[in-house]
């Protein structure tokens, strides 16, 4: 019933906001809508004053020192209803634009937004940037010792490799498996780390990448110190032989 009282502009604004998430910045919303920030704030404030849908959620300061508002939906159900009303193609295009605007606002080197960027590019079918930011999000999580979260990001990235251009798939898969094995090893999951490295070794052999094959053999031998000393020495010797 509350949605029925919205005008066209308010409806469009909330549709876009629902794709950003339950909490959103006026700065990002304005960039996606290609609207002046003051106009976006005016519309959001009107919805807040009417007790409809939105709540104020603080302030943020931009790189130029300007301060703008943050808003949130009153209930997660509002986000779900608005988002589900969008067509599938519209959702993909919207997430891609959100990702591009977020990247432009904060720059590719501001790694704090890696997880958010990965989500939008993944839903926007930009597989190259999705994998790149998932990898960075995993590195960010690992630095905080959030190893389970880091591993989950890498699993998501590995699931997207098949969507990459053929020329990038092998090298990306090898790199992700190496990172995943390191994370699992730091979690004490030696069996899982071994499985990732065996996958890495098989991928390297199939692609004819001797360098990656040697690296996989070396890393496998390190993990096998904890699991099978005899096999550890065998793989180390294989690494020496292949490196020649």
């Amino acid at each position: 019933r509350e949605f029925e009282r919205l005008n066209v502009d308010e409806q469009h604004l909330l549709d876009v906001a629902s794709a950003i998430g339950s909490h959103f910045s006026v700065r990002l919303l304005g960039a996606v809508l290609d609207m002046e920030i003051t106009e976006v704030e005016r519309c959001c404030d009107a919805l807040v004053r009417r007790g409809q849908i939105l709540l104020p959620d603080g302030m943020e300061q931009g790189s130029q020192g300007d301060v703008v508002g943050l808003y949130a939906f009153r209930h997660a159900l509002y986000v779900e209803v608005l988002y589900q009303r969008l067509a599938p193609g519209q959702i993909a295009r919207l997430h891609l634009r959100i990702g591009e605007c977020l990247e432009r606002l904060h720059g590719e080197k501001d790694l704090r937004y890696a997880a958010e960027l990965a989500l939008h590019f993944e839903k926007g079918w930009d597989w190259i940037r999705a994998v790149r930011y998932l990898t960075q999000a995993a590195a960010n999580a690992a630095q905080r010792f959030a190893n389970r979260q880091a591993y989950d990001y890498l699993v998501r990235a590995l699931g997207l490799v098949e969507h990459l251009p053929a020329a990038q798939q092998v090298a990306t898969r090898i790199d992700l498996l190496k990172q995943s094995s390191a994370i699992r090893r730091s979690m004490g999951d030696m069996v899982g780390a071994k499985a990732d490295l065996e996958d890495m070794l098989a991928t390297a052999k199939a692609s004819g990448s001797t360098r990656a094959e040697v690296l996989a053999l070396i890393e496998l031998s390190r993990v096998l110190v904890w699991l099978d000393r005899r096999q550890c020495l065998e793989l180390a010797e294989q690494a020496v032989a292949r490196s020649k």
Side-chain angles (χ1 to χ4, degrees):
R1 187 177 298 174
E2 290 186 16
F3 293 150
E4 293 174 358
R5 294 197 291 267
L6 299 172
N7 61 42
V8 174
D9 291 338
E10 290 171 337
Q11 179 68 61
H12 182 49
L13 180 145
L14 290 172
D15 285 344
V16 174
S18 72
I20 294 175
S22 58
H23 303 259
F24 59 90
S25 159
V26 164
R27 192 186 314 280
L28 176 58
L29 183 57
V32 177
L33 291 167
D34 197 20
M35 288 174 59
E36 291 292 332
I37 290 177
T38 53
E39 181 62 20
V40 177
E41 279 192 313
R42 184 196 64 76
C43 189
C44 291
D45 283 339
L47 290 169
V48 169
R49 286 195 301 273
R50 277 152 44 192
Q52 286 184 297
I53 304 169
L54 296 183
L55 291 168
D57 194 38
M59 308 288 284
E60 71 168 356
Q61 187 171 28
S63 58
Q64 304 301 318
D66 54 324
V67 177
V68 298
L70 301 171
Y71 293 87
F73 285 92
R74 285 182 175 272
H75 198 285
L77 183 61
Y78 290 149
V79 183
E80 184 178 346
V81 170
L82 288 163
Y83 191 74
Q84 287 181 350
R85 299 200 311 189
L86 301 173
Q90 185 182 6
I91 288 174
R93 292 190 297 273
L94 191 50
H95 279 292
L96 179 59
R97 177 157 177 77
I98 292 169
E100 290 172 342
C101 290
L102 185 63
E103 189 179 60
R104 188 165 61 249
L105 284 171
H106 297 289
E108 296 183 36
K109 295 183 179 179
D110 192 340
L111 305 179
R112 295 173 298 168
Y113 297 89
E116 191 176 350
L117 283 161
L119 175 67
H120 289 301
F121 284 125
E122 186 177 355
K123 291 187 175 182
W125 289 38
D126 187 328
W127 312 120
I128 293 176
R129 282 190 283 194
V131 169
R132 182 203 312 163
Y133 285 117
L134 281 169
T135 305
Q136 185 56 58
N140 292 351
Q143 288 179 351
R144 303 192 306 270
F145 301 102
N147 292 321
R148 171 52 62 180
Q149 187 179 45
Y151 175 69
D152 290 341
Y153 285 135
L154 292 172
V155 169
R156 276 171 57 192
L158 280 164
L160 300 179
V161 168
E162 63 183 30
H163 297 296
L164 298 178
Q168 298 181 25
Q169 289 185 16
V170 170
T172 303
R173 182 172 179 79
I174 286 172
D175 186 51
L176 289 171
L177 286 167
K178 182 176 181 295
Q179 293 180 59
S180 177
S181 72
I183 293 295
R184 294 176 86 167
R185 183 178 176 184
S186 67
M187 294 166 62
D189 180 9
M190 296 301 177
V191 173
K194 177 175 176 286
D196 282 339
L197 291 170
E198 288 173 340
D199 195 351
M200 176 183 169
L201 179 59
T203 303
K205 285 181 176 179
S207 67
S209 174
T210 305
R211 183 179 184 281
E213 184 182 345
V214 171
L215 181 59
L217 287 166
I218 292 171
E219 293 298 323
L220 260 174
S221 69
R222 294 175 64 190
V223 169
L224 286 166
V225 166
W226 304 95
L227 300 174
D228 188 330
R229 295 292 181 89
R230 180 186 58 79
Q231 192 179 9
C232 162
L233 292 173
E234 289 177 359
L235 291 179
E237 289 170 355
Q238 287 181 40
V240 172
R242 291 295 290 144
S243 68
K244 294 179 182 179

